[in-house]
């Protein structure tokens, strides 16, 4: 078989027509409905007990953001009027031993990093904690991990309250006087940050190592809430955990990839879309082409499976120069010393097909969430987006917009995507501010009651 014929077949395997997208959005609604009611669903629809921001929140707060390869610790100044400033930020690379070892080691690592950071920040002690995994919450400052995603596997954490685990680690490591005022998912943090600056912002999505989204829901619409909607304040953000959505057409590469992961049959949507997996799907396809002796004379480059990254895919897709020199050097690094221009073009096509499907599937899910809130798309909605795929992958945003237009040619202009850079960290600080205000109101209420 020739490369051209292979790529044509591949395009068919990865094609999502507008009707497919409509079907995905429809199925997504069904899963949202069941998830909110507490029924069986691939969408966990987790109540966050945190609402969008008003823009008026102010003060100095700490924030930590744990979720991918790094832990980020930030000091954020909220100026009110929708303005936030990151005063200091530091990244700590999470050691393998912490993500795959004992949970205690992971939390010791977090506590120590915060200890190092706060040596310089002094008085700021109220903290928002962004934890980018699925957890169940009864209130805004605690949450039990449901299960790890994105390759994490630290032991002794699933089923436990991660805020309490961090507090224990603070004690063990003599990190004093830090109060975890709010705990939230990164998508939730991003929405809080987006709504701080834009009152039309009611959805957030992450397209990074993993993928997820959340939106603002009426408390009365969340059937599984234990407290009455009024006690819950009328509205709250729901963490969809859409990475686990599974009503999707899968092809042989998706199935092969899933079977190799540590969580088969879970996070199916994430495995189709996010940075952690796109490169693996592309590597699988390239390997298949090689095994079929379509390229590289049947020899698989030694470092293809382990070293090929999403950054490489971006660079290859951007490689428009004659002879694709950038692609040539990436292939050399992976162990393919000699490649022809046609072979390099075929690799570029593979990247294009895989990332193109990811963008279209993402658009279907985004469309489902917006039309859940506003079925006729009558109002304007701002979507706060973050993650390297959204920020850096060539044409990702444009392809999502184009697919949204396919889904609703007349009204898709009501959907505006903005890049909420550092949203999850800033959002954590804002949520800590909201919690601080609530606890001081509560204190006022109690003291007023006490004087009566
Ligand atoms: C994974 C996590 C989810 C997180 C997302 C983006 O899907 O399960 O909680 O929001 O990655 O980081």
């Amino acid at each position: 078989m020739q490369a051209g014929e292979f790529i044509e077949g591949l395009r068919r395997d990865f094609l999502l027509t507008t009707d497919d997208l409509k079907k995905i959005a429809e199925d997504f609604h069904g899963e949202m409905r069941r998830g909110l009611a507490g029924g069986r669903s691939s969408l966990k629809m987790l109540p966050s007990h945190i609402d969008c921001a008003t823009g008026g929140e102010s003060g100095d707060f700490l924030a930590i953001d744990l979720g991918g390869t790094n832990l980020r610790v930030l000091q954020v100044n909220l100026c009110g009027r929708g303005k936030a400033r990151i005063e200091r930020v530091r990244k700590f690379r999470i050691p393998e031993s912490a993500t795959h070892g004992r949970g205690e080691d992971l939390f010791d690592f977090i506590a120590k990093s915060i200890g190092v950071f706060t040596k310089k920040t002094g008085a700021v002690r109220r903290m928002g904690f962004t934890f980018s995994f699925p957890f169940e919450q009864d209130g805004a400052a605690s949450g039990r991990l449901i299960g790890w995603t994105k390759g994490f596997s630290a032991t002794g954490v699933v089923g436990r309250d991660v805020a309490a685990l961090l507090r224990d680690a603070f004690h063990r490591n003599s990190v004093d006087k830090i109060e975890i005022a709010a705990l939230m998912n990164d998508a939730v943090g991003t929405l809080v940050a987006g709504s701080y600056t834009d009152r039309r912002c009611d959805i957030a999505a992450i397209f990074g190592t993993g993928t997820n989204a959340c939106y603002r829901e009426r408390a009365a619409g969340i059937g599984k809430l234990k407290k009455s909607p009024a006690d819950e304040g009328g509205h709250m953000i729901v963490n969809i955990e859409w990475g686990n959505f599974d009503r999707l057409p899968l092809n042989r590469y998706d199935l092969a990839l899933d079977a190799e992961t540590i969580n088969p049959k879970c996070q199916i949507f994430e495995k189709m879309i996010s940075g952690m997996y796109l490169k693996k799907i592309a590597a699988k396809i390239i390997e298949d082409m090689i095994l079929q002796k379509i390229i590289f004379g049947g020899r698989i480059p030694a470092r293809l499976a382990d070293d090929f990254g999403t950054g490489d895919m971006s660079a290859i897709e951007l490689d428009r120069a004659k002879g694709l020199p950038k692609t040539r050097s990436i292939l050399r690094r992976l162990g393919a010393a000699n490649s022809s221009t046609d072979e390099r073009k075929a690799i570029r096509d593979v990247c294009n097909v895989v990332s193109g499907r990811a963008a279209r599937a993402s658009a279907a899910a985004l469309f489902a969430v917006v039309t859940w809130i506003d079925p006729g798309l009558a109002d304007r909605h701002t979507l706060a987006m973050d993650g390297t795929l959204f920020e850096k992958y060539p044409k990702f945003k444009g392809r999502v917009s184009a697919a949204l237009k396919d889904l609703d040619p007349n009204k898709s202009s009501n959907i505006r995507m903005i890049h909420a850079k550092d949203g999850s960290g800033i959002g954590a600080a804002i949520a800590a501010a909201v919690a601080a205000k609530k606890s001081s109101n509560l204190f006022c209420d109690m003291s007023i009651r006490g004087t009566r």
Side-chain angles (χ1 to χ4, degrees), residues 44 67-68 131-135 147-150 185-188 206-213 239 241-244 267 270:
K44 295 188 180 70
F131 184 66
S132 311
F133 297 96
F135 49 89
W148 287 118
T149 52
K150 298 180 283 194
N185 181 265
D186 53 345
V188 174
I206 308 287
F207 296 98
T209 309
T211 183
N212 191 13
N239 169 16
E241 278 297 319
W242 80 10
N244 196 49
Q267 300 296 102
E270 183 156 276

Side-chain angles (χ1 to χ4, degrees), residues 99-171:
T99 54
H100 291 96
R102 293 181 327 144
E104 259 181 29
D105 296 339
L106 174 63
F107 284 89
D108 279 342
F109 164 77
I110 303 173
K112 281 182 194 148
S113 307
I114 297 172
V116 169
F117 186 87
T118 50
K119 272 215 175 103
K120 287 197 181 157
T121 49
V124 181
R125 293 300 184 199
R126 281 221 153 108
M127 189 179 88
F129 179 5
T130 300
F131 184 66
S132 311
F133 297 96
F135 49 89
E136 255 168 340
Q137 299 187 274
D138 299 322
S142 62
R144 287 174 306 280
L145 176 66
I146 298 173
W148 287 118
T149 52
K150 298 180 283 194
F152 274 58
S153 63
T155 55
V157 189
V158 174
R160 310 274 303 275
D161 172 12
V162 291
L165 290 177
L166 182 54
R167 251 178 253 120
D168 292 348
F170 283 158
H171 290 312

